[in-house]
Amino acid sequence: MSSSTTPDAPAPTATADRGAFSGRSAFIFAAIGSAVGLGNIWRFPAVAYENGGGAFMIPYLVALMTAGIPLLFLDYAIGHRWRGSAPLAWRRVKRWTEFIGWWQVLICVVIAVYYALILAWAGDYIFFSLKQSWGDDAAAFFGEFTQAPAPEASGLTGQIIWPILISIVVVWVAVLATMVLGVENGVAKTSMVFIPLLVVMFLLLVIRALFLPGALEGLDALFTPNWGALLNGQVWVAAYGQIFFSLSVAFGIMLTYASYLKKKSDLTGSGLVVGFANSGFEILAGIGVFAALGFMAQAQGVEVSEVVSDGVGLAFIAFPTIIGEAPGGALIGVLFFGSLVLAGFTSLVSIVEVVISAVHDKFGTTRAAASVIVVVPLAIVSTLLFSTSQGLPILDTLDAFVNQYGIVAAALVSTIIFAWVLRGLPTLRDHLNHRGSFKVGTIWMLCVAIIDPIVLAVSVFFATKELLATGAPYGGYPGWFVGLLGWGMAAALIVVAIILSLLPWSQRSHLDKVDSDGDEIAPEVVRGVGLDDAGTDNPHQMRPHGHGAAAVR
C-alpha cells in the first residue's frame, strides 16, 4: 500500500494531470452553480415563511456568517492545500482520515442517481406548461404522470414510464458530454453560461409574478416578521440547516472544486462572493415564489398559509396550478421549470464531479475514461430505479436519509476530527490568510471548532428524532423498504467508505505524484501548529512551524 507524506520518502517526479480552472472567475461560477440548486428555489421560501417570515432573516444571516462561510472556507482550504479529490485530500491530511473523503463521495453517488429524476420531471414540465397538460387538477396529473403507488405498496420494481425514462437518459447524456470536456471546458463553462441565464430567467419570472393579482399579499405573508420566533430554538436550527444545505458544504463538492484552483488564489474573497451570491438568489427565489403563491391564494379565495408548500409539492403541484390560473401562464411555466433545469443541472454536474475526481485520482486514468467509468454506471442505475412507478418513493426515502440526514452526520464527524482530533485549524488559517483578501483568525476557528459542531450535533439529534417520531416507518412506507433504502443505506455508506479507504492505491494513481505544475504536495497536518511564511508567495510552500524542508515529501 502506498504511504502518505513522510519525511524520508523519495521525491516524486511524475506529475498529476488533474485539470484546473483557468482563473478565479471560472471557479466562482462553478461554485455558485453548485450552491444555487433546487433547494434555493423550492426549499428556502417555505423554510423562511414557516420560521418567522421577515424575522427569519436574522438567524439566517447569523447562520451564514457563523456556519456557512466558515465551513466553506474549511472546504476550500483542505482541497486547495492538499490538491486532490475528497479521498486523496483527506488521505494527505492524515492517512487514517481517507474514509471521510470516500464517505463524501458515496453520498454524492446516491444523490446523483435520484437528482437526475427531478431534472427529468422539470424538463418534461417545460413542455407540459405550453399546453397546460394538467388541466384543472395538477395534483391528479402529477400522480398519473409518476404513477406512484400508495406508500404501503412501495417497492424496488415497478412499471416503466417511458417519457420519464427518455428524459432521464437525455439528462445523463448531457452530463456525460459535460464531464468528458473536462474541468474548464465542461464544468466551468457550463456554469459560466447557465448561471447568468438562470439569473435572467428567474428575474423575468419574478417580474412577471410581481404583477399578478395578490402578489403583494404573498410577499406580505413571507416578509412580515414574527419576532417571537427568534426565541424558538427550532427556528435557529432551521436557519443553520438551510444555509448548510444550500451552500453545498462538507460533502466534497467545494473541496474538489478548490483543488482545481491556481496556487495563488484568493480563497476567502472567493468564498464571500459565493456565499452572498447564493443567499441573494435565495431571497430572489423567495420573492418570486411567494408573489406567485399570493396570486394562487387570492384566486382560490384562501389564505396564503393554505397554499404554501415546498419541494416536489411546490414545483409540480402548486406551480402548475398557478400556471393554469395566471394570465400568460405558459411563460411562467417555461421560466420556472427552465430555471429548475438550469439550477439543477449545474448542481448535478458538481455532484458527479466529486465522484469522477476520486476515480481519476485513485486509478490515474484519463479524464475522459474516468468520466465514462463513473457516469455510465450512474446512468444505468438511475434509469433502472427511477424511470418506473416506484421512482418517487425511492427518491423520497433516499433524500431523507442520505441527503438530509447523512450529509449532516458526515459534516459533524469531519468537523470534529479536523478541529479537535487533528487540531489542524491553525494550518488552514495560515493557508487561507496567505493570499486571502479577507483574513480569518480566532473567530473563524471558534466557529468551526465549537459553534458548527454543536449546531450539526443538534441537527442530527432533531433529524433522528423526526425520523423516529411516529413510531412507524418513514413516510408510511413498508418497514423493509425504509430499512434498506433509509437506515440501511445511511449505515452502508460508512462501512463501504471504510473498506474503500483500506484498499491500496495503484502505481498509476495521483497519490505520490507532484501537482500538475510540478510543485510538491504540502505535508500532513501537524497538531496545533501553524505555518511559517518563509517569504514565499506560494502558500503551498509554507511548512509547519519548526519543520522546514524536512516536512516536504
Side-chain angles (χ1 to χ4, degrees):
M1 183 181 297
S2 299
S3 65
S4 60
T5 308
T6 54
D8 40 337
T13 56
T15 60
D17 183 16
R18 302 185 63 252
F21 290 121
S22 61
R24 183 186 177 198
S25 60
F27 166 75
I28 287 175
F29 271 106
I32 292 174
S34 173
V36 173
L38 300 176
N40 298 67
I41 298 173
W42 75 19
R43 190 174 189 270
F44 171 78
V47 170
Y49 173 77
E50 293 167 359
N51 290 278
F56 181 74
M57 295 302 118
I58 294 177
Y60 177 81
L61 289 174
V62 171
L64 174 65
M65 299 307 297
T66 60
I69 290 176
L71 289 177
L72 203 59
F73 288 170
L74 180 71
D75 273 359
Y76 285 1
I78 293 174
H80 190 252
R81 181 158 183 81
W82 285 287
R83 314 297 288 172
S85 59
L88 180 56
W90 276 101
R91 183 184 177 108
R92 286 170 169 169
V93 168
K94 213 69 168 177
R95 166 66 184 93
W96 63 269
T97 64
E98 182 185 335
F99 82 94
I100 296 174
W102 287 115
W103 191 3
Q104 294 172 334
V105 168
L106 292 173
I107 287 172
C108 288
V109 167
V110 175
I111 295 174
V113 295
Y114 72 73
Y115 213 85
L117 173 62
I118 303 173
L119 284 183
W121 286 346
D124 287 338
Y125 265 71
I126 292 176
F127 297 101
F128 293 156
S129 298
L130 298 175
K131 297 182 179 180
Q132 298 182 19
S133 304
W134 45 80
D136 296 329
D137 194 339
F141 177 83
F142 183 67
E144 293 171 3
F145 174 61
T146 61
Q147 298 180 31
E152 62 273 12
S154 298
L156 295 179
T157 58
Q159 181 178 350
I160 292 178
I161 305 170
W162 289 101
I164 294 178
L165 183 147
I166 293 170
S167 297
I168 292 177
V169 171
V170 170
V171 168
W172 282 112
V173 169
V175 170
L176 179 59
T178 301
M179 307 318 284
V180 167
L181 287 173
V183 175
E184 175 62 23
N185 292 326
V187 175
K189 288 187 176 177
T190 297
S191 292
M192 293 176 79
V193 172
F194 281 13
I195 292 303
L197 182 58
L198 169 64
V199 171
V200 170
M201 288 181 65
F202 213 84
L203 277 172
L204 291 174
L205 174 65
V206 169
I207 293 170
R208 180 67 192 92
L210 287 173
F211 284 94
L212 291 173
L216 294 182
E217 285 76 6
L219 296 182
D220 186 60
L222 174 62
F223 290 113
T224 297
N226 174 14
W227 300 113
L230 298 181
L231 301 177
N232 185 342
Q234 290 272 27
V235 170
W236 289 83
V237 171
Y240 277 92
Q242 177 60 33
I243 285 292
F244 177 74
F245 287 117
S246 70
L247 272 179
S248 299
V249 292
F251 62 108
I253 294 175
M254 295 304 181
L255 183 157
T256 301
Y257 276 6
S259 74
Y260 298 137
L261 265 173
K262 294 183 180 297
K263 297 287 180 61
K264 302 172 185 178
S265 295
D266 178 0
L267 298 180
T268 55
S270 300
L272 291 175
V273 171
V274 173
F276 285 108
N278 175 72
S279 293
F281 187 85
E282 286 197 320
I283 294 172
L284 180 67
I287 293 172
V289 167
F290 265 81
L293 290 177
F295 163 76
M296 181 178 174
Q298 185 182 92
Q300 297 181 0
V302 298
E303 295 294 323
V304 174
S305 60
E306 296 183 42
V307 297
V308 173
S309 60
D310 62 0
V312 171
L314 173 69
F316 300 105
I317 298 176
F319 252 87
T321 301
I322 293 167
I323 293 163
E325 296 175 348
L331 174 62
I332 295 175
V334 170
L335 292 173
F336 178 75
F337 291 110
S339 296
L340 285 185
V341 169
L342 294 176
F345 188 78
T346 54
S347 294
L348 178 57
V349 163
S350 71
I351 292 166
V352 174
E353 178 60 30
V354 173
V355 189
I356 290 175
S357 181
V359 170
H360 188 37
D361 282 344
K362 179 79 173 182
F363 299 103
T365 61
T366 64
R367 167 73 191 199
S371 299
V372 173
I373 290 169
V374 169
V375 174
V376 171
L378 287 180
I380 293 172
V381 173
S382 178
T383 305
L384 291 176
L385 278 181
F386 296 101
S387 63
T388 74
S389 54
Q390 298 292 345
L392 181 56
I394 296 175
L395 181 155
D396 183 30
T397 306
L398 289 177
D399 183 66
F401 283 87
V402 177
N403 187 7
Q404 298 182 37
Y405 186 75
I407 290 177
V408 179
L412 175 62
V413 171
S414 61
T415 304
I416 290 176
I417 286 177
F418 202 95
W420 292 101
V421 180
L422 301 179
R423 292 176 57 199
L425 293 183
T427 294
L428 297 191
R429 174 201 61 204
D430 294 343
H431 186 91
L432 288 166
N433 286 340
H434 189 268
R435 303 286 299 189
S437 56
F438 177 81
K439 305 302 181 183
V440 299
T442 303
I443 294 177
W444 174 73
M445 294 171 69
L446 287 174
C447 287
V448 175
I450 298 176
I451 295 176
D452 297 342
I454 291 174
V455 171
L456 290 166
V458 171
S459 298
V460 168
F461 171 77
F462 280 117
T464 306
K465 182 179 178 181
E466 183 176 348
L467 290 170
L468 297 173
T470 62
Y474 169 78
Y477 301 124
W480 70 267
F481 186 83
V482 175
L484 177 65
L485 297 179
W487 299 109
M489 182 64 72
L493 296 186
I494 303 173
V495 174
V496 175
I498 294 173
I499 293 173
L500 288 173
S501 72
L502 298 176
L503 297 179
W505 289 63
S506 72
Q507 293 299 314
R508 295 177 56 190
S509 77
H510 293 156
L511 176 63
D512 292 317
K513 294 180 179 179
V514 297
D515 206 4
S516 302
D517 53 12
D519 288 341
E520 294 175 337
I521 302 299
E524 286 184 347
V525 68
V526 177
R527 284 172 55 85
V529 173
L531 302 175
D532 285 322
D533 191 314
T536 178
D537 63 348
N538 183 347
H540 293 80
Q541 294 175 355
M542 295 193 299
R543 294 297 180 252
H545 290 313
H547 288 66
V552 184
R553 288 182 173 276

